[in-house]
Amino acid sequence: AIAKDFAQPVLAFDHYIATEANYDGGNVQVSVNGGPWQLIGGQVFLYNAYNTDLVAGSGGNTDPLAGQSAFSGMDEGGFVGSWGQSQADLSAYVRGGDSIRLRFAVGTDGCSGYDGWYIDDVRLITCDLARAKKSDGCGGCGATGMSGSVVGLLGLLLLQTRRRRRHT
């Protein structure tokens, strides 16, 4: 559950993606208080948002996420991806006292699967509202805007996850 006196809940996660560009990919979804799953929109990402909208089913894409915003593709000029971090402000979806579940959904269209999508170090960071009221002019949570208390996170990962590995 999100603390009742939070200021800004930020989802941060590290991930690696190497999929068929524009046809295969993954996105993040949220369920609030047991409600339906909603796609976390690209507009709420503070850093490293989705990089494409997947080709729609009408365009021949059989991926179950066809037409949705997603992380997709590989490093340019290669068949591998790289690790990076994304951060999303969840204020548009949750309020103090809400309980949330997160789902990292990945879809493929059945060809050119490549390596996949790997998620690591998922965390929900919130700013303490009492501290925010004593703001130092830097977002109320210190200079980075990311310090604060880590809230218990009920994560539902619907993809294969494994330990981070180095690609050379």
Side-chain angles (χ1 to χ4, degrees), residues 123-157:
R123 56 215 176 272
L124 183 63
I125 303 162
T126 62
C127 178
D128 181 295
L129 191 57
R131 281 185 58 206
K133 289 179 181 174
K134 298 176 187 174
S135 175
D136 58 5
C138 298
C141 294
T144 65
M146 291 295 292
S147 62
S149 59
V150 176
V151 176
L153 176 64
L154 297 173
L156 177 60
L157 302 179

Side-chain angles (χ1 to χ4, degrees), residues 11 13-17 26 28 41-52 70-72 82-88 117:
L11 169 66
F13 60 96
D14 297 339
H15 59 127
Y16 167 97
I17 188 129
V28 187
Q43 73 279 4
V44 304
F45 278 84
L46 303 171
Y47 182 73
N48 197 23
Y50 304 123
N51 63 330
T52 194
F71 298 106
S72 180
S82 12
W83 284 94
Q85 183 180 106
S86 290
Q87 300 171 7
W117 190 31

Side-chain angles (χ1 to χ4, degrees), residues 12-27:
F13 60 96
D14 297 339
H15 59 127
Y16 167 97
I17 188 129
T19 64
E20 181 183 15
N22 303 314
Y23 285 86
D24 302 340
N27 58 33

Side-chain angles (χ1 to χ4, degrees), residues 23-167:
Y23 285 86
D24 302 340
N27 58 33
V28 187
Q29 302 168 10
V30 63
S31 168
V32 180
N33 299 320
W37 291 104
Q38 307 172 62
L39 174 67
I40 292 177
Q43 73 279 4
V44 304
F45 278 84
L46 303 171
Y47 182 73
N48 197 23
Y50 304 123
N51 63 330
T52 194
D53 288 335
L54 298 175
V55 172
S58 61
N61 189 0
T62 58
D63 178 344
L65 302 179
Q68 295 182 22
S69 296
F71 298 106
S72 180
M74 295 173 272
D75 289 353
E76 191 169 332
F79 292 100
V80 297
S82 12
W83 284 94
Q85 183 180 106
S86 290
Q87 300 171 7
D89 176 0
L90 299 182
S91 297
Y93 301 94
V94 299
R95 303 285 180 260
D98 285 345
S99 177
I100 67 168
R101 293 186 301 158
L102 295 170
R103 175 165 72 180
F104 293 84
V106 65
T108 64
D109 68 350
C111 59
S112 301
Y114 300 113
D115 198 22
W117 190 31
Y118 302 92
I119 310 294
D120 192 21
D121 200 16
V122 177
R123 56 215 176 272
L124 183 63
I125 303 162
T126 62
C127 178
D128 181 295
L129 191 57
R131 281 185 58 206
K133 289 179 181 174
K134 298 176 187 174
S135 175
D136 58 5
C138 298
C141 294
T144 65
M146 291 295 292
S147 62
S149 59
V150 176
V151 176
L153 176 64
L154 297 173
L156 177 60
L157 302 179
L158 297 180
L159 64 135
Q160 178 184 7
T161 58
R162 48 186 200 199
R163 294 184 82 73
R164 203 182 273 202
R165 64 182 186 163
R166 301 245 183 244
H167 291 273

